[in-house]
Amino acid sequence: MFHKSSKSELLIKYAVMISDLYEVIGRLDKSADYLVRIGNEIHGAPIIVALFFEQAGLRYLKMKQYRKFALYVAQAGMNYSSVNQNQYALNCFRMIHPFYQS
């Protein structure tokens, strides 16, 4: 019901709930994939998309999938930058910098 709703706030609540549920049962891969999928479906709220991508990136880091981690955290940084949240964007880029150095 939440997923089929046209209201963004219901979709966001549903996505967070499902992602946390996957994480509780130990399926970090499904949790991260779901956050990315919902992040791509949300339009007009780049700050929420950035949050979803950042959380997905951190889940990929827990699974030691470093390329996906760097990709989604970089996308989160770009989304933060697009809404003038420069400190958050800089934090994202600082987080992935060591992975690009190695």
Side-chain angles (χ1 to χ4, degrees):
M1 184 169 127
F2 280 122
H3 187 75
K4 302 267 188 228
S5 174
S6 62
K7 293 186 177 185
S8 292
E9 63 271 2
L10 293 178
L11 181 60
I12 292 166
K13 288 178 185 178
Y14 177 76
V16 170
M17 183 176 58
I18 294 298
S19 175
D20 287 345
L21 180 65
Y22 277 133
E23 189 169 3
V24 166
I25 62 173
R27 296 297 310 263
L28 287 173
D29 56 335
K30 291 278 190 182
S31 176
D33 291 342
Y34 193 76
L35 285 171
V36 168
R37 192 179 75 170
I38 296 298
N40 287 327
E41 286 182 20
I42 295 174
H43 301 289
I47 194 85
I48 301 296
V49 173
L51 288 169
F52 279 7
F53 283 166
E54 188 175 7
Q55 288 302 308
L58 293 174
R59 284 174 173 89
Y60 283 124
L61 180 62
K62 287 180 184 176
M63 293 184 292
K64 296 181 172 49
Q65 294 183 4
Y66 302 119
R67 284 182 159 187
K68 284 186 177 182
F69 158 72
L71 171 71
Y72 289 113
V73 173
Q75 285 185 344
M78 295 301 291
N79 279 317
Y80 282 132
S81 180
S82 73
V83 291
N84 295 325
Q85 295 294 324
N86 297 325
Q87 290 298 321
Y88 290 112
L90 189 59
N91 186 35
C92 287
F93 295 131
R94 278 188 197 136
M95 206 175 352
I96 62 173
H97 184 268
F99 293 91
Y100 282 109
Q101 290 290 67
S102 61

